[in-house]
Amino acid sequence: MTQFRPEMLEYLPRFKSALADDIGDWVVKGFIDTYQNIYTISADTKVISKLIELMLFPLLDDFARNYSYQLILAEHQNHYPDISFIAPSGIKIAFDIKSTYRRSATRVNGFTLGTYTGYFRDREHKKNTTFPYGEYSSHYVLGVIYSRSSEDLDEREIFELKDLQNIRSIAHDFVLLLQEKWKIALDSTGSGNTKNLGSIKIIEDLVNGNGPFANEGEQVFDHYWMNYLDNEMARAIDSKVPYRNLREYWHWRNGN
């Protein structure tokens, strides 16, 4: 095993400083063109998420160099994971950057933690992954939590460079966390008909890794989601949905 988590935890303050100023506002104010016009940023979560990734990549590269990891970025946007770290010993670590916004002082909208089908189940093949899922010794999530500005944003407004300090940030009050995926995953899907894993939503539990599988272990998490069927998947094989939560899972597992 590597010391990946304690090493990465040392970098979290640097990541936060790269994202937020001294009063906690996001340091990104907008997009600038060659004429030095600054265009306001959309509050779209996908836009914010991508910008956060781009801001953290140089620091993650510095982390890799400092601790002698090889860093490999995903070749395609829909490939897993965002980053693969390879230790000098050859151990591979999957690393995803996820962001979400607060819905209240204690709760967030939640992270999407990737699929529970495809490469998650077919762990020896390299489809939509940098390396086969089974080659990774651990699967980490760097979670970024932020609050959205409560003020309406006029995306038609254009600023000049001299106005930079007066441009309102659309995100503030950042909290960063580092946990293995299985410790913060729910025992239900992310939303609707998606085949993606959802995360717990209480901020304190996210920071401390206190999801429903935390006391069950990673093997239970893997077995649960590798055998999970939603309604569509069950109909496709002329079966019933075996379980919908951990309580039903244990009933199913002990009875089978």
Side-chain angles (χ1 to χ4, degrees):
M1 292 297 293
T2 70
Q3 294 296 311
F4 180 82
R5 188 168 191 271
E7 291 167 349
M8 180 63 74
L9 286 173
E10 292 183 3
Y11 264 68
L12 290 197
R14 295 180 60 181
F15 296 159
K16 186 174 181 179
S17 294
L19 296 175
D21 60 22
D22 292 340
I23 62 173
D25 287 342
W26 196 18
V27 296
V28 174
K29 301 295 183 178
F31 299 102
I32 188 169
D33 64 19
T34 56
Y35 303 108
Q36 298 188 2
N37 294 314
I38 299 175
Y39 302 86
T40 54
I41 296 175
S42 167
D44 188 305
T45 54
K46 291 182 179 179
V47 173
I48 295 175
S49 177
K50 189 60 182 178
L51 288 172
I52 288 174
E53 286 183 21
L54 292 173
M55 295 175 72
L56 293 181
F57 279 158
L59 287 171
L60 289 166
D61 183 62
D62 182 75
F63 163 84
R65 294 174 185 275
N66 192 33
Y67 288 106
S68 300
Y69 290 96
Q70 183 183 358
L71 181 152
I72 302 175
L73 297 177
E75 292 185 358
H76 304 283
Q77 187 173 355
N78 64 338
H79 280 200
Y80 178 85
D82 292 334
I83 296 173
S84 299
F85 287 103
I86 304 178
S89 62
I91 290 175
K92 297 183 180 73
I93 299 159
F95 188 88
D96 270 341
I97 304 171
K98 302 292 183 180
S99 59
T100 187
Y101 59 89
R102 288 181 180 83
R103 285 193 172 273
S104 70
T106 59
R107 296 179 66 87
V108 297
N109 191 53
F111 301 118
T112 300
L113 301 178
T115 185
Y116 59 85
T117 60
Y119 59 75
F120 184 87
R121 298 189 179 190
D122 194 3
R123 298 190 169 192
E124 295 182 359
H125 293 275
K126 186 181 175 181
K127 182 179 180 181
N128 295 335
T129 62
T130 302
F131 298 101
Y133 195 93
E135 290 189 10
Y136 292 99
S137 65
S138 51
H139 303 261
Y140 277 96
V141 173
L142 174 63
V144 181
I145 298 169
Y146 61 90
S147 293
R148 298 191 294 186
S149 174
S150 59
E151 301 177 30
D152 291 333
L153 181 69
D154 186 354
E155 296 180 7
R156 300 168 299 179
E157 193 168 7
I158 300 176
F159 297 89
E160 296 179 7
L161 193 59
K162 63 182 178 60
D163 302 317
L164 183 62
Q165 298 303 319
N166 298 322
I167 303 175
R168 175 173 52 85
S169 296
I170 61 170
H172 59 93
D173 197 10
F174 288 83
V175 169
L176 277 67
L177 61 101
L178 180 70
Q179 290 292 346
E180 290 186 81
K181 178 165 64 175
W182 66 272
K183 290 187 177 182
I184 59 173
L186 282 174
D187 56 354
S188 58
T189 56
S191 62
N193 296 322
T194 180
K195 298 295 192 295
N196 286 324
L197 300 169
S199 79
I200 54 178
K201 297 181 179 181
I202 303 297
I203 295 174
E204 183 178 1
D205 289 340
L206 282 166
V207 171
N208 294 316
N210 288 333
F213 294 98
N215 293 324
E216 306 285 352
E218 188 173 11
Q219 289 184 341
V220 171
F221 164 78
D222 283 341
H223 190 261
Y224 181 100
W225 283 109
M226 290 179 78
N227 291 279
Y228 182 91
L229 300 176
D230 64 12
N231 292 327
E232 180 185 1
M233 296 167 72
R235 284 195 302 270
I237 60 173
D238 195 23
S239 175
K240 294 182 179 180
V241 173
Y243 51 84
R244 299 181 187 275
N245 52 52
L246 262 172
R247 178 181 59 80
E248 293 179 4
Y249 163 80
W250 282 115
H251 179 75
W252 168 81
R253 183 167 176 174
N254 291 333
N256 291 274

